[in-house]
Structure formats: structure tokens, C-alpha cells
Amino acid sequence: MFAGALVSAALFVADPALADDKSECAADIAMIQSEIAKAPAEPVLAKLRKALKVAEREQKEGEFDECLDAVGDARRALK
């Protein structure tokens, strides 16, 4: 019983962070799409497309932390 309460408490505490990651993921996907629309050089464009594909897949799967990892790849490609 104690373990179940502990798990429930952990999920409750993690929920706000999950919502933040979810909204950040969506905003960052829009940023990647915007950068692709600017038609960057081919090497950068290829990295952005790959990052976008991964980010969108992870967003659909609800893996928002992994979405943000893909966004990080996109940001590095833009530097």
C-alpha cells in the first residue's frame, strides 16, 4: 500500500514537468519547421529534416524528453 502511494505521488509530481516538456516539444517542432522553410544549405537541411522526423515521432509516442533531445540536434545543426 505504501509503495502504491509513493508511485502515485511520484506521478503527480512529474505531471507538471511533463506538460512543460509537451508544450516545449510542440513549440520547438514549429521552430524546426520554420528553419526548414528558410531553405538552409543542404547539410543543415538534412540534419533539420532528420531531427524534425524524430521529434514528431517522439511527440506522437508521448516521449517528450526524447523529442527535446531531437530538438537539441536541430539547434546544434543551426550553429
Side-chain angles (χ1 to χ4, degrees), residues 56-70:
E56 288 176 331
R57 181 186 68 229
E58 298 303 341
Q59 181 186 41
K60 288 176 187 169
E61 293 175 358
E63 298 291 337
F64 304 112
D65 58 330
E66 293 180 26
C67 171
L68 297 178
D69 289 343

Side-chain angles (χ1 to χ4, degrees), residues 1 12-13 18 31-32 43 47 49 51 54 61 63 66 77:
M1 185 165 145
F12 180 73
V13 170
L18 181 64
M31 177 276 301
I32 296 171
K47 290 177 183 179
R49 285 182 177 154
V54 172
E61 293 175 358
E63 298 291 337
E66 293 180 26

Side-chain angles (χ1 to χ4, degrees), residues 22-46:
K22 182 178 181 179
S23 62
E24 188 176 348
C25 173
D28 287 342
I29 285 174
M31 177 276 301
I32 296 171
Q33 291 168 333
S34 174
E35 291 296 328
I36 288 173
K38 294 178 185 177
E42 184 56 39
V44 174
L45 181 60

Side-chain angles (χ1 to χ4, degrees), residues 32 36 41-53 70 73-78:
I32 296 171
I36 288 173
E42 184 56 39
V44 174
L45 181 60
K47 290 177 183 179
L48 291 176
R49 285 182 177 154
K50 181 179 180 184
L52 178 61
K53 180 179 176 181
D73 293 340
R75 290 187 190 283
R76 284 186 290 280
L78 292 169

